[in-house]
Amino acid sequence: MGADHMTTGFAHGLTSYGDRGFSRYLRQAFLASAGYGEDDWDRPVVGIAHTISDYVTCHRQMPELVERVRRGVEAAGGIAMAFPVTPLGEIFLAPTSMLLRNLAAMEAEELVRAQPMDAVVFVGGCDKTVPAQLMAAASAGVPAAFTVAGPMLTGSWHGKRLGACTDCRRYWSEHRAGRLDDTEIADVRDELCQTAGTCSVMGTASTMACLVETLGLMAPGGATHPAPSGARLRHGRLTGQLATTLATTPREVLTPAAFRNALVVLCALGGSTNAVIHLLALARRVGVPLSLHDFADVSRTTPVLVDCKPAGDGYLEDMDRAGGVPVLMKALEPLLDLSTVGITGEPLGDLLARTPAPQPWQRTIRTVEDPLKPADGLAVLTGSLAPDGAVLKTSAATASLLRHRGPAVVFDGPQDLERRLDDETLAVTEDHVLILRNAGPVAAGMPEAGLIPIPRRLAAAGVRDMVRISDARMSGTGYGTVVLHVSPEAAAGGPLGLVADGDLVELDAHAGRLDLLVDPAELAARKARWQPPVPPPRGWRRLFAEHVTQADAGADLDFL
C-alpha cells in the first residue's frame, strides 16, 4: 500500500494521519464495510448534497429525487455519495432563514472541500437552500451541477385555483379584514399546499431555480418541472449523468455575461426581490462586479413576460407546460448574450436555435412584443432615506402609489409592529407611509417582515395597499407597494433610524427616488442622540451581526 498521488475518486483528499499509505489503507477498509471493492477506488465520485429534513415539508419527496440522481451517476460509471447539508425550512425557522443562509453556505462549502468527490450535485429547493448552495459552489472550486425539488401543484377552493404562497397572503388579508370567517380560512388553508414542492408561484424558490438554469448551472428545463412529476425525476437522473463527467467549475460558468442574462430573466419573470440580494452575494463570491445600478439598467429595458403570481395570475405548473426557462429565454433572445456556456458545454445560442418561441395556445410566457407588463418591473431607489439603495417590485405594486408623499408611522422592529399595528388608537390613514426599521441584517437577520399588513381598521374599510418601507425583506410571494432592503439599515446608522412619526416621506419610483423631507439640521441633532444596538451575546448570531454586509452588498459575511 504505497504512497498514492492520485487526486480523483476516493483517493482525493486523504485524511491526515501523517502516513498517506495508512490513510489510503484505512479509507479502503471502511469503504469495504459499505460494500465497495478494489475496482471502485478509481471510479469518479459524485457527491449529492441534499436538504432532506422533516422540517422542510416542501422537500418531502426529495429522497426519490436523490435516488434518481444516484441512478444517473451510476449509469455514467460513477459512484454517488449522498450527504446532508443544512436544511433551511422557511416556515419553521425563527426569526428567519436568512439569518442562516451564510452559515449553510459555509457548511456546504467545507463539506464539499473536505470529502472526496470529483463533482457535486446540489439538491435544494426552499427559499434559502439554493442561494446557500450557489454561494458554496462558487467558493468550493469543485465542478457542480444543480437540480431542485420543484414547485408544488395547485389546489382549489370554491372553484378557484390556489397555491402557496401569494394566495396564502391574499386570503389571510381577507380574513383580517373580516371578509372570510374562521371556517372559510381554515378550508383555504387545507388547499394551499396540495403536494410536495416549493411555492407554486414566482416566489423566491421558483425565481432562484429559474436563475440557476439561466446562469448555466442546471440542465435545461429543470427549473419548473413540478415536484410530483416524472419530468422532475428524469431531470434528476440527467443531472447525475452530467455531473459524472463534469470538469467545469462554477467560477468558469459564472461570468459577467451569465449574470447579465440572469438579470434579464429576473425582470422578465417578475421575480422575487430576494434574488437581488442573492445574486449580489454570489457575484462577489466570484469577483464579478455587480451593483444595484445594473439591476436598474436591465429593468428599464426588460418587460415582464411571465404570467405567474404575484405579478400575474398563473402558477409555475403553467410556466412548465408552456416550455419553462428555455422558451422564456427564446422570447428574450434579442436581450441575451448568446455566447455564454453552462455545464452542458453548449453555447446558449445553440440551445435557443432549437428551442421554439412561445406558442399561441398558451399565455403564460409572453413575447417582448406582447408582454404581460411593460419594462421597469423592478425599481432601484436612492435618496436621502436610502443613500445606498432600496428596491421596489413595481410589477406587483399599485400604480397610483408609485408616486406618493405622506407622513410616516414608525415601528421600531417586528415586535413593535405586531404589538401596535392594529391598535384602534393608532393615528393612521391610507395616506400614511408605514415604516418598519431595525429589521435589517445587523439588527434582526433580515426577516421577511417588510410586507407590513394593512392596519385592521383600514383593511376592514377596504384599503388594500399602502406605501410601506423597511430595511427588511419581503417574501417573493408578496405583493403591494413595498420598499425593501433600505441601505444602510437603521441598526448600521442609516437615515431610516432617524425617522420620526409625522415626518414627510416621498416616494417617486419612476424617478428612482426615496426621500425623507426633514431639515438636515434636525436630522443631525437626531443623529447625535442615536445609539447603535447592543450586539447578540454569543455564537453564530454574534458573528453574523459583527460581519454581515448590508443588503446592497448581498448580506454575505465580509470575510467570505
Side-chain angles (χ1 to χ4, degrees):
M1 309 296 292
D4 189 346
H5 298 291
M6 292 182 61
T7 57
T8 58
F10 284 122
H12 175 77
L14 290 173
T15 308
S16 179
Y17 291 112
D19 181 338
R20 287 181 59 83
F22 176 72
S23 297
R24 173 190 172 108
Y25 172 75
L26 194 60
R27 181 170 288 182
Q28 287 180 323
F30 278 86
L31 284 169
S33 76
Y36 294 99
E38 286 279 355
D39 58 345
D40 294 318
W41 182 256
D42 296 332
R43 290 168 63 189
V45 175
V46 177
I48 307 174
H50 64 76
T51 49
I52 297 170
S53 167
D54 289 345
Y55 285 108
V56 190
T57 56
C58 300
H59 296 182
R60 64 180 172 84
Q61 286 187 265
M62 190 173 283
E64 61 179 338
L65 178 58
V66 169
E67 181 58 31
R68 294 322 188 277
V69 176
R70 183 188 300 277
R71 289 186 188 180
V73 172
E74 293 172 347
I79 294 177
M81 299 291 284
F83 63 100
V85 292
T86 302
L88 299 175
E90 181 66 33
I91 309 304
F92 291 93
L93 287 169
T96 171
S97 62
M98 185 63 179
L99 179 66
L100 301 176
R101 182 202 65 176
N102 299 338
L103 181 62
M106 288 174 67
E107 184 231 25
E109 175 188 344
E110 296 303 330
L111 286 176
V112 169
R113 282 178 167 168
Q115 299 175 129
M117 63 188 75
D118 299 295
V120 59
V121 174
F122 284 104
V123 189
C126 191
D127 287 13
K128 308 308 175 296
T129 59
V130 171
Q133 291 172 347
L134 276 172
M135 294 160 70
S139 299
V142 173
F146 283 72
T147 190
V148 291
M152 64 178 72
L153 298 174
T154 53
S156 177
W157 182 72
H158 289 190
K160 297 178 182 179
R161 295 170 76 194
L162 293 181
C165 207
T166 299
D167 293 330
C168 310
R169 301 176 189 283
R170 181 164 62 89
Y171 282 96
W172 183 254
S173 295
E174 294 295 292
H175 176 59
R176 274 179 51 82
R179 288 185 281 271
L180 288 179
D181 62 28
D182 290 347
T183 299
E184 289 171 318
I185 196 64
D187 289 343
V188 169
R189 176 199 64 203
D190 293 343
E191 286 292 320
L192 285 168
C193 303
Q194 280 296 294
T195 69
T198 54
C199 290
S200 56
V201 299
M202 195 56 70
T204 303
S206 297
T207 300
M208 292 307 301
C210 291
L211 296 183
V212 173
E213 184 174 335
T214 303
L215 286 165
L217 293 173
M218 178 186 291
T224 57
H225 298 322
S229 68
R232 170 57 53 205
L233 298 179
R234 293 193 298 275
H235 187 267
R237 189 177 191 275
L238 173 62
T239 305
Q241 288 178 298
L242 179 63
T244 307
T245 57
L246 187 61
T248 304
T249 65
R251 187 174 289 271
E252 296 171 271
V253 174
L254 297 173
T255 63
F259 276 100
R260 174 106 184 154
N261 286 349
L263 300 194
V264 172
V265 169
L266 171 63
C267 293
L269 291 170
S272 169
T273 50
N274 287 308
V276 176
I277 295 179
H278 301 319
L279 286 175
L280 287 168
L282 180 63
R284 279 158 176 74
R285 290 287 182 112
V286 295
V288 170
L290 189 69
S291 73
L292 288 175
H293 299 295
D294 296 306
F295 289 85
D297 290 344
V298 171
S299 178
R300 279 192 284 269
T301 57
T302 307
V304 179
L305 300 189
V306 177
D307 186 0
C308 281
K309 293 182 177 182
D313 293 319
Y315 298 87
L316 260 292
E317 61 195 74
D318 305 322
M319 183 180 174
D320 189 63
R321 293 189 186 103
V325 172
V327 168
L328 173 61
M329 288 198 293
K330 181 68 175 182
L332 294 166
E333 194 168 13
L335 303 179
L336 298 174
D337 187 322
L338 304 183
S339 68
T340 60
V341 178
I343 57 174
T344 65
E346 181 180 35
L348 177 61
D350 291 356
L351 167 65
L352 297 186
R354 64 173 188 277
T355 300
Q359 296 298 294
W361 53 262
Q362 60 83 40
R363 296 288 289 163
T364 303
I365 302 177
R366 309 292 181 86
T367 64
V368 171
E369 296 76 24
D370 179 29
L372 177 73
K373 295 185 178 182
D376 268 338
L378 178 69
V380 174
L381 312 171
T382 56
S384 61
L385 191 52
D388 294 335
V391 298
L392 168 62
K393 189 175 180 179
T394 55
S395 63
T398 301
S400 61
L401 291 176
L402 294 177
R403 284 194 180 99
H404 182 81
R405 178 188 290 189
V409 175
V410 182
F411 300 95
D412 280 317
Q415 291 75 30
D416 184 44
L417 173 68
E418 187 171 346
R419 184 174 64 252
R420 296 172 47 228
L421 181 68
D422 292 331
D423 188 334
E424 291 293 329
T425 66
L426 181 68
V428 61
T429 71
E430 62 182 301
D431 293 324
H432 277 81
V433 175
L434 304 180
I435 302 279
L436 172 64
R437 63 187 176 203
N438 297 318
V442 172
M446 210 177 185
E448 290 185 341
L451 184 58
I452 303 169
I454 302 299
R456 192 186 304 274
R457 172 168 53 83
L458 297 180
V463 176
R464 284 181 163 81
D465 196 11
M466 296 172 66
V467 174
R468 290 159 275 182
I469 299 171
S470 79
D471 46 16
R473 298 178 300 111
M474 176 176 76
S475 168
T477 65
Y479 53 90
T481 311
V482 185
V483 177
L484 303 157
H485 313 173
V486 172
S487 297
E489 65 175 294
L496 196 68
L498 307 180
V499 185
D501 286 341
D503 287 350
L504 283 180
V505 174
E506 186 169 62
L507 166 67
D508 187 342
H510 302 292
R513 297 290 303 180
L514 182 66
D515 290 299
L516 177 61
L517 306 181
V518 175
D519 184 82
E522 170 61 20
L523 288 179
R526 295 181 192 178
K527 181 69 172 179
R529 297 190 297 269
W530 179 81
Q531 295 291 324
V534 177
R538 63 182 297 278
W540 170 252
R541 294 192 182 197
R542 177 66 173 259
L543 182 67
F544 185 91
E546 290 181 344
H547 291 281
V548 68
T549 64
Q550 289 294 287
D552 65 300
D556 200 358
L557 301 186
D558 53 19
F559 57 82
L560 295 177

